[in-house]
Amino acid sequence: MTRMAPLLAAAILGGLVSGCASVPKDAGFSEVQETVRQRTGVAAEWVRQQDQEQAVKTRTRTLLQGELSVEGATEIALLNNQRLQATFEELGLAGADVLQSRLPRNPILGIDIRSPEKAFELSLLQNVISLLQIRRRHAVAAASFESAKLRVTNEVLVLASKVRMACYTLQAAEQVTEMRRTVVESARASAELAIRQRDAGNVSDLDLENEQAFLEQAKLQLANSEGAVLSARESLNRLMGLWGSDTGWKIAPALPELPPEDPGLQGLESLAVAQRMDLRAAWAELQAAAGAVPLARSSANLDISVGVHREREPEGITTTGPVLDYSLPLFDRGRPAKSRAEALLRQSQDRYAALAVEIRSEIREAWNRMALARSRVAYYRDVVLPRRSRINELSQRNYNFMLLGPYQLIMAKQNEINAQGEYVESLKDYWINHADLQRALGGAILPAGKGPGPSPPSALPNGHNHGETP
């Protein structure tokens, strides 16, 4: 036996030992879970066992028993949304790729038996390149695994933002619907009064038609509001993954009022770049693409194998010796694979830089919308509603002194209710834009200087600065 056999055995053993290292048992989900808890205050759960399924069902139905808050709806979605559960499986897939990257190719055992002559040939071959590239393959797979964790975390945070927006939409729709019902009752009373007065000859047919037309218009507006409630409920049901008897929940009745103040725009762009999970994922993907370039360069030589060959001749002579298999790079010298890997690297660089620009723009846009919505809410609260309330109060006083007719009094009340509905709509817009700003930031709106860490590096690897990253 030559020295090739122990060398081959040592190489295979080294590959197997290097493959013993594994990803975490939970495929990195604990990191995802902790980040989500820090940024939303709600825990997500990756349901993989039957006892977990039962615990999720119990917790979900507990949250549905009382009035459903925004936080409760978010928790249900993070526990129960099946699309999110499918997204969590990306961790398992990426973790399996990491394990696979640490393993060499299986050796090839060749057996050729010639029975009549009692001769045979045995060969054991191992691909050498697969052993030499284990470290690089593992680095690429590890970067991809890190990217998968970050992408999954971003998906959870985006879902939480969508749930908050859906809750605010439903709360506003229900409030406006109640106001529309009040307007319909008021319009119905006004129309009935007009009928009685027309029969008594006190109002004209035109006045009666106007009152009845206003009633029909109010009914249509109420129907539209009721349809908006149904649509908003189903949107939230989908996000929470609810169906059947679990859809009979009741949401908290009113939108929260404006917070005392909002953060200024200064520093928010940097905070978003520091904590956006999708930007960090893009950076990890860029690193994986950079690590794949050296692997692609040697693609034409991936079929170099060494091993041991043992042969017994019909005469009984046995020979043993080394074997070297080498694919000749006559046609494929690895240039297409190398060009493709370099193109993927440049693509990753461009996507990373573009995402950084887009994030900054999203922050400015979301902040501006939130600031404008806040000014509208404040104007309704401080100017429009007090004035409408004062008009209604004066109308009631003049009516008591018989200086104003009943139709004008009813109209004043209806105008006040309509103004309250517009205030609720503006408040809804504020909270939706507030939630969208949180999404653009990648988490809660934190005070200055309390971000979660430094932003991803702006320098691109291997000297490929394909454009300065903002």
Side-chain angles (χ1 to χ4, degrees):
M1 181 74 68
T2 66
R3 295 182 179 179
M4 185 63 68
L7 289 175
L8 178 60
I12 296 174
L13 180 61
L16 293 176
V17 170
S18 68
C20 292
S22 62
V23 297
K25 291 183 179 180
D26 65 350
F29 179 72
S30 58
E31 297 179 39
V32 175
Q33 192 177 47
E34 181 59 26
T35 301
V36 171
R37 181 184 291 109
Q38 289 176 356
R39 299 194 181 187
T40 67
V42 178
E45 190 66 40
W46 185 7
V47 181
R48 289 173 287 178
Q49 298 177 357
Q50 189 173 2
D51 58 340
Q52 290 178 297
E53 291 181 4
Q54 187 58 47
V56 166
K57 289 180 181 178
T58 301
R59 178 58 179 164
T60 297
R61 286 170 181 169
T62 299
L63 291 170
L64 293 173
Q65 287 177 358
E67 287 186 346
L68 187 60
S69 64
V70 175
E71 293 76 16
T74 304
E75 182 176 354
I76 291 174
L78 299 194
L79 294 175
N80 205 54
N81 185 291
Q82 294 302 309
R83 289 194 179 275
L84 184 62
Q85 293 298 316
T87 300
F88 290 153
E89 296 299 334
E90 294 291 333
L91 299 175
L93 296 174
D97 290 341
V98 173
L99 294 177
Q100 187 68 46
S101 71
R102 301 298 299 268
L103 298 175
R105 292 184 184 178
N106 290 325
I108 299 175
L109 176 64
I111 303 176
D112 185 6
I113 300 176
R114 297 185 293 277
S115 179
E117 298 86 1
K118 296 183 179 180
F120 66 86
E121 292 184 21
L122 298 177
S123 63
L124 181 65
L125 298 176
Q126 174 63 49
N127 189 290
V128 177
I129 300 299
S130 71
L131 296 176
L132 298 178
Q133 290 184 337
I134 284 179
R135 186 180 299 275
R136 285 180 175 175
R137 288 203 311 270
H138 175 68
V140 172
S144 297
F145 178 58
E146 184 66 22
S147 175
K149 289 191 293 185
L150 295 167
R151 287 198 312 272
V152 169
T153 304
N154 184 68
E155 289 296 323
V156 180
L157 296 176
V158 169
L159 175 61
S161 177
K162 289 181 179 178
V163 172
R164 288 193 294 269
M165 293 181 184
C167 286
Y168 298 142
T169 300
L170 177 57
Q171 287 176 321
E174 290 191 346
Q175 284 184 264
V176 171
T177 299
E178 288 302 315
M179 294 176 184
R180 295 295 183 197
R181 289 196 180 100
T182 303
V183 171
V184 167
E185 292 304 318
S186 175
R188 180 176 287 111
S190 182
E192 291 174 353
L193 176 60
I195 291 174
R196 292 195 298 269
Q197 289 191 331
R198 195 279 310 268
D199 293 341
N202 294 329
V203 298
S204 66
D205 290 340
L206 177 60
D207 292 334
L208 175 60
E209 290 299 327
N210 282 330
E211 293 298 327
Q212 290 181 327
F214 184 83
L215 172 60
E216 301 308 324
Q217 186 66 33
K219 288 180 179 179
L220 288 175
Q221 291 176 341
L222 174 59
N224 290 337
S225 295
E226 290 173 339
V229 169
L230 294 175
S231 178
R233 280 187 67 89
E234 289 309 317
S235 176
L236 192 50
N237 275 327
R238 288 194 296 272
L239 292 172
M240 294 190 295
L242 300 179
W243 60 281
S245 60
D246 289 337
T247 60
W249 43 269
K250 181 180 180 182
I251 199 167
L255 287 166
E257 296 298 327
L258 283 179
E261 60 181 359
D262 289 327
L265 181 58
Q266 184 177 4
L268 290 186
E269 293 181 31
S270 299
L271 180 59
V273 170
Q275 67 180 11
R276 275 281 288 262
M277 291 291 112
D278 52 348
L279 186 63
R280 293 185 181 185
W283 175 255
E285 290 171 2
L286 193 157
Q287 291 179 310
V293 173
L295 291 174
R297 288 170 181 162
S298 59
S299 63
N301 301 319
L302 287 179
D303 289 332
I304 299 178
S305 299
V306 298
V308 178
H309 176 267
R310 184 177 180 86
E311 181 178 1
R312 179 177 177 177
E313 300 292 343
E315 295 80 9
I317 301 174
T318 302
T319 58
T320 302
V323 177
L324 172 64
D325 278 0
Y326 177 68
S327 62
L328 297 177
L330 297 179
F331 306 108
D332 182 5
R333 299 185 178 183
R335 291 179 181 175
K338 177 177 177 291
S339 297
R340 188 177 192 279
E342 290 175 345
L344 287 174
L345 174 58
R346 292 191 299 271
Q347 184 183 63
S348 297
Q349 293 167 352
D350 290 334
R351 285 176 174 172
Y352 177 78
L355 182 58
V357 173
E358 291 165 3
I359 286 173
R360 291 181 177 275
S361 177
E362 286 178 9
I363 291 296
R364 294 191 299 270
E365 183 182 7
W367 187 89
N368 286 329
R369 289 200 311 265
M370 185 185 70
L372 290 173
R374 184 184 184 91
S375 66
R376 288 195 299 270
V377 173
Y379 190 78
Y380 271 105
R381 181 193 61 196
D382 300 336
V383 178
V384 176
L385 291 184
R387 179 156 293 172
R388 283 297 178 187
S389 177
R390 178 63 174 166
I391 290 173
N392 185 55
E393 178 184 349
L394 293 174
S395 298
Q396 182 66 54
R397 185 182 303 173
N398 288 340
Y399 177 75
N400 293 339
F401 287 102
M402 302 181 69
L403 299 176
L404 192 69
Y407 299 113
Q408 290 83 358
L409 177 61
I410 294 174
M411 182 60 67
K413 184 61 178 177
Q414 290 170 347
N415 289 336
E416 182 182 19
I417 295 173
N418 288 333
Q420 290 173 348
E422 293 168 0
Y423 166 77
V424 169
E425 290 289 346
S426 65
L427 188 60
K428 176 200 72 175
D429 292 341
Y430 168 82
W431 282 112
I432 286 179
N433 289 316
H434 188 276
D436 191 48
L437 180 60
Q438 286 186 314
R439 178 206 57 79
L441 284 170
I445 302 176
L446 302 176
K450 292 187 178 181
S455 62
S458 60
L460 302 180
N462 296 340
H464 293 281
N465 284 309
H466 194 65
E468 185 178 355
T469 301

